[in-house]
Amino acid sequence: MEPTHSCKALVLHCIDFRFQEQISEFLGKKFPQSYDRVVLAGGVKELLENGERSITLKNLEISSRLHQPKIIVLIQHEDCGAYGGSKAFGDFFKEQEFQNSELKKAEALLKQQFSQPVEKYLVRLSGEITSLF
Ligand SMILES: [Zn+2]
C-alpha cells in the first residue's frame, strides 16, 4: 500500500538543548517541513550499543515504513555529554575523529536495513555544521 503522506528526510540526533536551534534551522532550510526526527541522548550511540534491539532502529523503521523518507541524516555534536563531553577526548581533532567513526559505524549498520542514502554531520558549539564523508 502506498503511503498517503511521505517526507524527504529522516533525521537522528542528540537531545542536547544547546544545538536544537542550529539543527532546526539547518533541517528547515534543507528539507522544509518534510523530515521525521528521532532524538536520543548521544545521537547514534544507542543504535551502536544495541544494534538490532535498539529503540533507535525501531523508530527509524517506523518512520521509514510510514513516511518513506528519501534520505537518512545523522547528526552528532561537539561536547556530547553521553560520551563524556569534549574533555573525554583531549582535543577537538580526536573528538572529531571519534564522532566520524561513530557516524560511519552507524551508516554501515543502517545500510543493512535501509536502502536510503545516509548523510553525516557534526555540529560545533560555534553553530557550524560540517559534513562528514
Ligand atoms: Zn549529546
Side-chain angles (χ1 to χ4, degrees), residues 14-16 41-43 77 79-82:
C14 183
I15 60 168
D16 194 321
H77 70 86
D79 194 33
C80 186

Side-chain angles (χ1 to χ4, degrees), residues 13-20 40-43 75-83 99:
H13 65 79
C14 183
I15 60 168
D16 194 321
F17 72 94
R18 294 173 295 172
F19 301 88
Q20 304 305 317
L40 282 101
I75 306 174
Q76 294 297 93
H77 70 86
E78 185 178 8
D79 194 33
C80 186
Y83 292 98
Q99 290 297 354

Side-chain angles (χ1 to χ4, degrees), residues 14 38-39 44 46 51 55 73 76 81 97 100 111 114 129 133:
C14 183
V38 176
V39 179
V44 302
E46 198 270 339
I55 190 76
V73 178
Q76 294 297 93
E97 247 183 1
N100 205 353
K111 288 282 184 192
F114 302 98
I129 299 181
F133 301 97

Side-chain angles (χ1 to χ4, degrees), residues 2-3 8 11 13 23 27 40 44-45 62 72 81-82 89 95 99 101 109 111 115 123 130:
E2 282 293 301
K8 292 201 173 80
V11 185
H13 65 79
I23 291 173
L27 295 174
L40 282 101
V44 302
K45 192 169 188 280
I62 292 169
I72 298 175
F89 300 96
E95 182 174 3
Q99 290 297 354
S101 125
L109 202 153
K111 288 282 184 192
S115 56
V123 195
T130 52

